Protein backbone atom coordinates (compact mmCIF):
# COMPACT_ATOMS: atom_id res chain seq x y z
CA UNK A 1 0.00 0.00 0.00
CA UNK A 2 1.23 3.49 -0.83
CA UNK A 3 0.22 4.98 2.49
CA UNK A 4 -1.60 8.27 2.94
CA UNK A 5 -1.02 10.54 -0.05
CA UNK A 6 -1.18 14.31 0.14
CA UNK A 7 -0.96 16.93 -2.57
CA UNK A 8 0.51 19.36 -3.17
CA UNK A 9 3.61 18.93 -1.00
CA UNK A 10 4.31 22.64 -1.09
CA UNK A 11 1.98 25.54 -1.78
CA UNK A 12 2.87 29.21 -1.93
CA UNK A 13 0.01 31.61 -2.45
CA UNK A 14 -0.93 35.20 -1.86
CA UNK A 15 -3.28 36.46 0.79
CA UNK A 16 -6.89 36.28 -0.32
CA UNK A 17 -6.42 33.36 -2.67
CA UNK A 18 -8.26 30.06 -2.33
CA UNK A 19 -6.17 27.05 -1.33
CA UNK A 20 -7.22 23.42 -1.69
CA UNK A 21 -5.29 20.61 -0.05
CA UNK A 22 -5.93 17.00 -1.02
CA UNK A 23 -5.63 13.69 0.76
CA UNK A 24 -6.05 10.05 -0.26
CA UNK A 25 -6.61 7.62 2.61
CA UNK A 26 -5.15 4.17 2.98
CA UNK A 27 -7.51 1.69 1.36
CA UNK A 28 -9.89 0.17 3.91
CA UNK A 29 -9.44 2.91 6.49
CA UNK A 30 -12.63 4.48 7.79
CA UNK A 31 -11.36 7.50 9.76
CA UNK A 32 -9.72 10.61 8.36
CA UNK A 33 -8.07 13.45 10.23
CA UNK A 34 -6.78 16.86 9.20
CA UNK A 35 -4.10 18.46 11.40
CA UNK A 36 -2.21 21.73 11.32
CA UNK A 37 1.29 22.00 12.75
CA UNK A 38 3.10 25.21 13.68
CA UNK A 39 5.99 25.95 16.00
CA UNK A 40 3.81 28.08 18.22
CA UNK A 41 0.75 25.86 18.57
CA UNK A 42 2.12 22.38 17.89
CA UNK A 43 -0.08 19.78 16.22
CA UNK A 44 -3.74 20.77 16.20
CA UNK A 45 -6.63 18.54 15.14
CA UNK A 46 -8.79 20.48 12.72
CA UNK A 47 -11.46 17.93 11.80
CA UNK A 48 -12.12 14.21 12.10
CA UNK A 49 -14.32 12.11 9.78
CA UNK A 50 -15.56 8.59 10.35
CA UNK A 51 -17.23 6.75 7.46
CA UNK A 52 -17.31 10.03 5.50
CA UNK A 53 -19.23 11.83 8.25
CA UNK A 54 -17.64 14.74 10.16
CA UNK A 55 -17.50 13.69 13.81
CA UNK A 56 -15.57 16.58 15.35
CA UNK A 57 -14.91 19.87 13.59
CA UNK A 58 -14.35 21.94 16.72
CA UNK A 59 -10.75 22.55 15.70
CA UNK A 60 -11.61 24.27 12.44
CA UNK A 61 -10.37 27.82 13.03
CA UNK A 62 -13.18 29.73 11.36
CA UNK A 63 -15.57 29.79 8.45
CA UNK A 64 -12.72 30.29 6.04
CA UNK A 65 -11.83 26.63 6.51
CA UNK A 66 -13.95 23.80 5.11
CA UNK A 67 -13.34 20.07 4.66
CA UNK A 68 -15.14 17.44 2.64
CA UNK A 69 -15.04 13.73 1.96
CA UNK A 70 -16.74 13.25 -1.41
CA UNK A 71 -16.02 9.51 -1.19
CA UNK A 72 -14.53 6.97 1.19
CA UNK A 73 -10.97 7.36 -0.03
CA UNK A 74 -10.52 11.07 -0.68
CA UNK A 75 -10.74 14.34 1.23
CA UNK A 76 -10.13 18.02 0.62
CA UNK A 77 -9.36 20.89 2.98
CA UNK A 78 -10.14 24.30 1.55
CA UNK A 79 -9.13 27.70 2.86
CA UNK A 80 -10.91 30.66 1.35
CA UNK A 81 -9.73 33.37 1.54
CA UNK A 82 -6.27 32.49 2.81
CA UNK A 83 -4.38 34.68 5.27
CA UNK A 84 -0.69 34.81 6.27
CA UNK A 85 -1.52 33.30 9.68
CA UNK A 86 -2.70 30.16 7.89
CA UNK A 87 0.92 29.39 6.98
CA UNK A 88 1.70 26.00 8.49
CA UNK A 89 2.23 22.36 7.64
CA UNK A 90 -1.07 20.56 7.12
CA UNK A 91 -1.18 16.81 7.71
CA UNK A 92 -3.78 14.30 6.77
CA UNK A 93 -3.93 10.99 8.66
CA UNK A 94 -6.13 7.92 8.52
CA UNK A 95 -6.93 5.08 10.86
CA UNK A 96 -8.57 1.73 10.40
CA UNK A 97 -11.77 2.30 12.31
CA UNK A 98 -12.06 4.59 15.33
CA UNK A 99 -10.48 7.94 16.02
CA UNK A 100 -8.44 6.40 18.81
CA UNK A 101 -6.84 3.74 16.63
CA UNK A 102 -3.26 3.99 15.41
CA UNK A 103 -3.03 6.82 12.91
CA UNK A 104 -1.02 6.81 9.69
CA UNK A 105 0.15 10.22 8.59
CA UNK A 106 0.78 11.58 5.14
CA UNK A 107 3.94 13.56 4.32
CA UNK A 108 2.17 16.91 4.82
CA UNK A 109 1.59 20.03 2.75
CA UNK A 110 3.72 23.05 3.62
CA UNK A 111 1.53 26.10 3.02
CA UNK A 112 2.96 29.59 2.80
CA UNK A 113 0.58 32.51 2.46
CA UNK A 114 2.33 35.74 1.52
CA UNK B 1 -6.42 22.34 24.96
CA UNK B 2 -3.50 19.91 25.10
CA UNK B 3 -4.18 16.65 26.88
CA UNK B 4 -0.61 15.35 26.87
CA UNK B 5 2.44 17.36 27.84
CA UNK B 6 5.90 16.00 27.09
CA UNK B 7 8.93 16.68 29.22
CA UNK B 8 11.62 17.73 28.53
CA UNK B 9 10.93 19.92 25.51
CA UNK B 10 14.41 19.19 24.19
CA UNK B 11 17.03 16.54 24.96
CA UNK B 12 20.60 16.22 23.67
CA UNK B 13 22.60 13.03 24.22
CA UNK B 14 25.52 11.10 22.81
CA UNK B 15 25.19 7.96 20.72
CA UNK B 16 24.93 4.89 22.91
CA UNK B 17 23.26 6.70 25.79
CA UNK B 18 19.67 6.12 26.85
CA UNK B 19 16.98 8.75 26.26
CA UNK B 20 13.96 9.11 28.50
CA UNK B 21 10.96 11.24 27.65
CA UNK B 22 7.93 11.76 29.83
CA UNK B 23 4.29 12.51 29.12
CA UNK B 24 1.68 13.72 31.57
CA UNK B 25 -2.00 13.93 30.84
CA UNK B 26 -5.10 15.22 32.56
CA UNK B 27 -8.12 12.96 32.08
CA UNK B 28 -8.73 9.21 32.08
CA UNK B 29 -7.61 7.45 28.93
CA UNK B 30 -8.26 4.22 27.05
CA UNK B 31 -4.80 4.06 25.57
CA UNK B 32 -1.67 6.14 25.08
CA UNK B 33 0.46 6.13 21.96
CA UNK B 34 3.92 7.40 21.10
CA UNK B 35 4.83 8.75 17.69
CA UNK B 36 8.08 9.92 16.09
CA UNK B 37 8.47 12.76 13.59
CA UNK B 38 11.63 13.18 11.59
CA UNK B 39 12.32 16.66 10.30
CA UNK B 40 10.05 17.55 7.37
CA UNK B 41 8.09 14.31 7.56
CA UNK B 42 4.77 13.06 8.90
CA UNK B 43 4.38 11.36 12.27
CA UNK B 44 5.07 7.64 12.51
CA UNK B 45 3.45 5.42 15.12
CA UNK B 46 5.90 3.74 17.50
CA UNK B 47 3.96 1.96 20.19
CA UNK B 48 0.54 1.80 21.88
CA UNK B 49 -0.04 0.97 25.53
CA UNK B 50 -3.51 0.32 26.88
CA UNK B 51 -4.79 1.66 30.18
CA UNK B 52 -4.66 -1.82 31.79
CA UNK B 53 -0.99 -2.30 30.82
CA UNK B 54 1.95 -1.02 32.86
CA UNK B 55 4.88 -1.64 30.55
CA UNK B 56 5.49 -2.51 26.94
CA UNK B 57 8.59 -3.17 24.85
CA UNK B 58 9.32 -2.89 21.18
CA UNK B 59 12.92 -3.37 20.09
CA UNK B 60 14.96 -0.63 21.80
CA UNK B 61 11.81 1.12 23.01
CA UNK B 62 10.30 0.69 26.45
CA UNK B 63 7.09 2.45 27.43
CA UNK B 64 5.62 2.61 30.91
CA UNK B 65 2.21 3.85 31.97
CA UNK B 66 1.14 4.92 35.45
CA UNK B 67 -2.57 5.70 35.35
CA UNK B 68 -2.61 6.73 39.01
CA UNK B 69 -0.12 9.49 38.23
CA UNK B 70 -1.51 10.08 34.74
CA UNK B 71 1.93 9.77 33.24
CA UNK B 72 3.90 7.72 30.74
CA UNK B 73 7.55 7.47 29.83
CA UNK B 74 9.32 6.44 26.66
CA UNK B 75 12.83 5.03 27.02
CA UNK B 76 15.07 4.60 23.99
CA UNK B 77 18.07 2.44 24.84
CA UNK B 78 21.45 2.58 23.15
CA UNK B 79 20.46 5.61 21.09
CA UNK B 80 21.70 6.16 17.55
CA UNK B 81 22.07 9.27 15.41
CA UNK B 82 19.07 8.03 13.41
CA UNK B 83 16.91 8.41 16.55
CA UNK B 84 17.21 12.19 16.18
CA UNK B 85 13.60 13.33 15.83
CA UNK B 86 10.66 14.77 17.73
CA UNK B 87 8.65 12.38 19.87
CA UNK B 88 4.99 12.89 20.69
CA UNK B 89 2.62 11.21 23.07
CA UNK B 90 -1.03 10.97 22.08
CA UNK B 91 -3.85 10.14 24.41
CA UNK B 92 -7.18 8.58 23.61
CA UNK B 93 -9.81 10.04 25.91
CA UNK B 94 -12.82 9.50 23.71
CA UNK B 95 -13.34 10.21 20.07
CA UNK B 96 -9.90 11.07 18.73
CA UNK B 97 -6.27 11.29 19.75
CA UNK B 98 -4.87 14.43 21.31
CA UNK B 99 -1.17 15.05 20.72
CA UNK B 100 1.27 16.84 22.99
CA UNK B 101 3.83 19.37 21.75
CA UNK B 102 6.61 16.83 21.68
CA UNK B 103 10.16 16.30 22.87
CA UNK B 104 12.92 17.09 20.40
CA UNK B 105 15.70 14.52 20.74
CA UNK B 106 19.13 15.17 19.29
CA UNK B 107 21.63 12.29 19.27
CA UNK B 108 25.17 13.20 18.33
CA UNK B 109 27.85 10.78 17.23
Amino acid sequence: DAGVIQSPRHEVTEMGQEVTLRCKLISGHNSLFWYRQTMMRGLELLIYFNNNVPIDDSGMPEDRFSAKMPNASFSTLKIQPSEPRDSAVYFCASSLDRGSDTQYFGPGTRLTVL
Amino acid sequence: SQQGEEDPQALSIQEGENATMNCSYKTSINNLQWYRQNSGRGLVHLILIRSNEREKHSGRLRVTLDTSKKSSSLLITASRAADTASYFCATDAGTALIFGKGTTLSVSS
Side-chain angles (χ1 to χ4, degrees):
Chain A
D1 201 320
V4 175
I5 300 172
Q6 291 188 246
S7 65
R9 293 294 310 277
H10 302 271
E11 178 81 26
V12 180
T13 190
E14 293 192 347
M15 182 174 63
Q17 295 297 306
E18 176 180 303
V19 175
T20 299
L21 311 181
R22 296 175 176 79
C23 173
K24 184 175 186 298
L25 285 69
I26 293 173
S27 178
H29 281 196
N30 294 322
S31 289
L32 179 282
F33 311 84
W34 281 102
Y35 292 93
R36 177 173 69 178
Q37 186 176 40
T38 61
M39 289 294 291
M40 288 294 293
R41 300 173 69 91
L43 191 68
E44 302 173 277
L45 175 65
L46 300 177
I47 189 167
Y48 152 46
F49 291 88
N50 183 255
N51 291 317
N52 303 359
V53 176
I55 302 299
D56 183 359
D57 65 354
S58 59
M60 295 287 265
E62 48 200 91
D63 292 345
R64 298 184 298 108
F65 285 67
S66 63
K68 293 182 180 179
M69 280 200 74
N71 58 56
S73 61
F74 184 74
S75 177
T76 59
L77 177 68
K78 185 178 292 185
I79 308 173
Q80 179 185 21
S82 59
E83 297 183 1
R85 60 190 167 124
D86 302 330
S87 296
V89 180
Y90 290 80
F91 289 102
C92 170
S94 70
S95 69
L96 186 60
D97 187 15
R98 301 175 304 140
S100 55
D101 291 340
T102 296
Q103 294 185 15
Y104 298 82
F105 281 73
T109 295
R110 181 172 294 276
L111 173 65
T112 303
V113 183
L114 304 174
Chain B
S1 61
Q2 297 287 349
Q3 160 77 315
E5 294 285 340
E6 293 90 344
D7 172 64
Q9 289 186 352
L11 181 61
S12 293
I13 60 174
Q14 297 284 323
E15 254 190 336
E17 294 180 339
N18 294 342
T20 300
M21 287 156 269
N22 302 296
C23 171
S24 59
Y25 56 92
K26 297 174 184 175
T27 62
S28 297
I29 59 172
N30 298 313
N31 69 59
L32 185 145
Q33 301 179 34
W34 285 91
Y35 288 75
R36 182 188 72 226
Q37 183 179 32
N38 290 91
S39 180
R41 310 290 288 273
L43 279 71
V44 174
H45 179 259
L46 294 176
I47 196 166
L48 180 153
I49 187 166
R50 301 194 185 282
S51 59
N52 60 353
E53 297 175 311
R54 291 296 169 260
E55 187 170 314
K56 204 162 184 179
H57 296 255
S58 177
R60 293 184 296 112
L61 306 181
R62 172 180 165 242
V63 170
T64 62
L65 179 64
D66 187 335
T67 53
S68 65
K69 294 182 179 178
K70 292 187 171 57
S71 68
S72 173
S73 67
L74 171 67
L75 168 67
I76 304 173
T77 60
S79 62
R80 307 165 181 169
D83 295 327
T84 294
S86 293
Y87 292 82
F88 296 84
C89 69
T91 49
D92 156 33
T95 55
L97 296 179
I98 302 176
F99 288 82
K101 290 197 173 183
T103 292
T104 299
L105 174 65
S106 178
V107 182
S108 53
S109 53

